[in-house]
Amino acid sequence: MPRFDEGQEKHMPNIVIAGAQWGDEGKGKIVDLLSERFQVVARYNGGHNAGHTVIIEDEKFVLHLIPSGILHPGILCVMGHGMVIDPWALEKEIAGLVERDVEIEDNLVISDRAHLILPHHRVLESLAEAARGENKIGTTQRGIGPAYEDKAGRRGIRMSDLLNKDTLPGKLAEARRHFETICRGSNHTPELDWDQLLQDLLAFGERLRPRIADTSLVLQRSMARGYSVLFEGAQATLLDIDLGTYPYVTSSSATAGGAVTGLGISPTRVDGILGIAKAYTTRVGAGPLPSEIGGSLEEEIRKRGAEFGASTGRPRRCGWFDAVVTRYSTLVNGFDSIALTKLDVFDPLAEIQVCTGYKYKGEVLTDFPADLAVAEACEPVYETMPGWVEPTAGVRDYALLPQGAQDYIARLSDLVGCEIGIVSTGPDRLDTILRRSSAVAAWFE
Ligand code: GDP
Ligand code: IMO
Ligand code: MG
C-alpha cells in the first residue's frame, strides 16, 4: 500500500508516460526509474502484447500486464479498465514475480470493468490474420484485437462477471454464439470446451476476488489523499487505434488520452506528459516504417540495441530517428518533455541520419499522413549528422556526454519541438541523465 501518510496536503504531480514511436522505446525502464517518486502506478491500455523490460543490477524483469511500478515495494499498482486481461497470463505473471521475491499482496488491484481475453479470441485472431494473406498485421497472437472487438461489439466478458455465477453462463453463451457464427463462415471447426471454460472462469473469479475493484474510485480516493499517480501506457502513438498507422496498429488507445478513458479519471487530474522515444526508431510487425535502414547497418543496430521483441522474440525492424513521427506524437499527446533512450547504441557510428520530411509526388511532407498508401510510397528526406564515436554507455551526467551526442540531442529536440528532459545511456535503472533544467526536474522539485 502507498507509503504516504494519510491526509497529505501537498499536491504532487500526476504524470502520463506514453510511447512516441512504434513501441519498445524503453517505457518500462523509465516507469521503473520514476516510480519511487509516486505512490501509485496505473496501467491504462493493452494486454500481454506489451513487454516492458526493467533491469536492476543485472537482474532482468519483463512485465507484460502488471505495471512496472510493482518492482518497488510499497507502491500501489492498478490495472485499469482500458486494458484487456488474459487471466491465465495474469496468474502466470504474478506467480513468476512472486517466485522472484517480488511482493504481490494488496499492492495490485484490477479494474472490475476490464475486459477479458479468452481462448476463443486467439482462434479468431489466427483466422483473421490468415484471411488477410499478404496484408497480415503481424500481431502478437495474444487475442488482443478480438477481445477489444467483443468489447466494442458489446458482448465482452468483464472482470466483474467472474464474480457473478448467475449471469456469467448467459454472457459466455452470447460470446460463444458470435464465435461459432464466425467459425462457420470460415469453415473452421472449433474445439473449445465451453463448460470447462465456465468452471475455469468462476475459479479465477474466486482467486482474483480480493484484487478486483472499482479502480476509478481507488484512483479518485488516492488522489484526494494527495498521492501522486504515474500513468503507464503500453504500445505507442503510432500503434494507437485512432492516431496510429491504421490498420497496422494495436486495438487500444495508447496515447496520453487513453490514460483518462482507460482509468476513469478526469483530464484535469493529469499534470504532465512524458513521451518516451528511442534515439532511433523500431517497429515489430507489418506496416510502414518510412526511415527503415535496411542492409547490414540495420543488422548492426539491431544487434547493438538487442532489438528483439520482449514478448514474442521477433526481430524488430530498425530505422533512423524520424522527426516527422516524433513531432506528430509530441503534438497529439502534448508531451511536456521527452525521455530519449538508447543513445549508447549509436556510439560507434561515424555518421547518423535523421529523417526530417517525406518526399511525395514532388512535395516534401512534414506532417505524418493519414493515408497509408502515402506513408508507404513516400521517400524519407534525411539530414546527415556526424556521429560522436565515443562511448556514452553508462554516462550519468549530461556534461560528460561527447559534444557530438549533445548536438544530436539538441537537433532532435529542435526538430520535434519538445525538450529532451531525460537521456538514457544503458538498460540499467542508473544509466540515466535527468536534466536539471527540464520540466521533469520541475515536477519533482
Ligand atoms: P518498452 O516496451 O517501451 O518498455 O521497451 P522494451 O522493454 O520492450 O524494450 C526496450 C529495451 O531496451 C529493453 O531491452 C531495455 O532493457 C533496453 N533499454 C532501455 N533503455 C536503454 C538504453 O538507454 N540503452 C540500451 N542499450 N538499452 C536500453
Ligand atoms: P510495448 O508496450 C511493439 C504491435 C505488434 C503488431 C501490432 C498489433 O512493449 O511497447 P497486437 O497483438 O497488439 O494486436 O499487434 O502492434 N505491438 C507492439 N509492438 N511493442 C509493443 O508493446 C507492442 N504491442 C503490440 O507487433 O505490429
Ligand atoms: Mg516492449
Side-chain angles (χ1 to χ4, degrees), residues 304-323:
R304 272 193 63 77
E307 296 296 355
F308 297 89
S311 281
T312 59
R314 290 179 290 173
R316 296 172 181 152
R317 298 154 66 195
C318 300
W320 298 110
F321 186 89
D322 186 332

Side-chain angles (χ1 to χ4, degrees), residues 24-29 51-53 55 310 316 341-342 344-345 424-427:
D24 304 325
E25 297 92 347
K27 297 176 290 292
K29 167 177 167 163
H52 294 183
T53 313
I55 309 239
R316 296 172 181 152
T341 61
K342 306 191 91 158
D344 53 298
V345 172
S424 171
T425 57

Side-chain angles (χ1 to χ4, degrees), residues 188-404:
H188 174 78
T189 312
E191 286 169 7
L192 295 180
D193 182 343
W194 290 82
D195 294 331
Q196 183 61 47
L197 180 59
L198 174 62
Q199 295 315 315
D200 288 349
L201 292 182
L202 290 170
F204 276 121
E206 282 320 303
R207 292 196 295 272
L208 293 173
R209 187 181 286 277
R211 300 191 188 286
I212 299 176
D214 183 333
T215 50
S216 166
L217 279 183
V218 170
L219 288 169
Q220 309 301 338
R221 288 181 184 143
S222 299
M223 292 186 292
R225 284 178 179 165
Y227 296 164
S228 55
V229 186
L230 185 60
F231 303 108
E232 177 176 0
Q235 289 81 51
T237 305
L238 278 294
L239 288 174
D240 182 280
I241 183 77
D242 292 296
L243 294 152
T245 42
Y246 191 89
Y248 295 96
V249 292
T250 190
S251 302
S252 68
S253 299
T255 39
V260 170
T261 54
L263 287 163
I265 53 136
S266 162
T268 58
R269 302 311 304 240
V270 175
D271 301 304
I273 303 177
L274 177 65
I276 317 295
K278 261 183 223 191
Y280 48 100
T281 312
T282 63
R283 168 161 214 170
V284 204
L289 177 61
S291 65
E292 194 155 14
I293 298 171
S296 58
L297 185 55
E298 178 171 347
E299 279 289 321
E300 191 187 322
I301 289 169
R302 182 177 301 122
K303 218 157 118 201
R304 272 193 63 77
E307 296 296 355
F308 297 89
S311 281
T312 59
R314 290 179 290 173
R316 296 172 181 152
R317 298 154 66 195
C318 300
W320 298 110
F321 186 89
D322 186 332
V324 180
V325 159
T326 318
R327 185 167 51 239
Y328 169 74
S329 291
T330 298
L331 290 174
V332 298
N333 287 282
F335 293 149
D336 297 299
S337 190
I338 286 178
L340 189 75
T341 61
K342 306 191 91 158
L343 185 71
D344 53 298
V345 172
F346 275 180
D347 286 353
L349 298 194
E351 222 172 50
I352 296 170
Q353 313 289 338
V354 180
C355 173
T356 57
Y358 304 146
K359 221 182 270 169
Y360 180 71
K361 291 194 173 166
E363 260 185 87
V364 175
L365 312 178
T366 50
D367 293 319
F368 197 83
D371 185 351
L372 273 212
V374 177
E376 267 155 2
C378 66
E379 212 185 294
V381 178
Y382 288 119
E383 181 174 307
T384 304
M385 294 192 71
W388 41 93
V389 208
E390 268 181 73
T392 64
V395 171
R396 295 172 188 181
D397 181 343
Y398 197 79
L400 297 180
L401 286 176
Q403 190 56 47

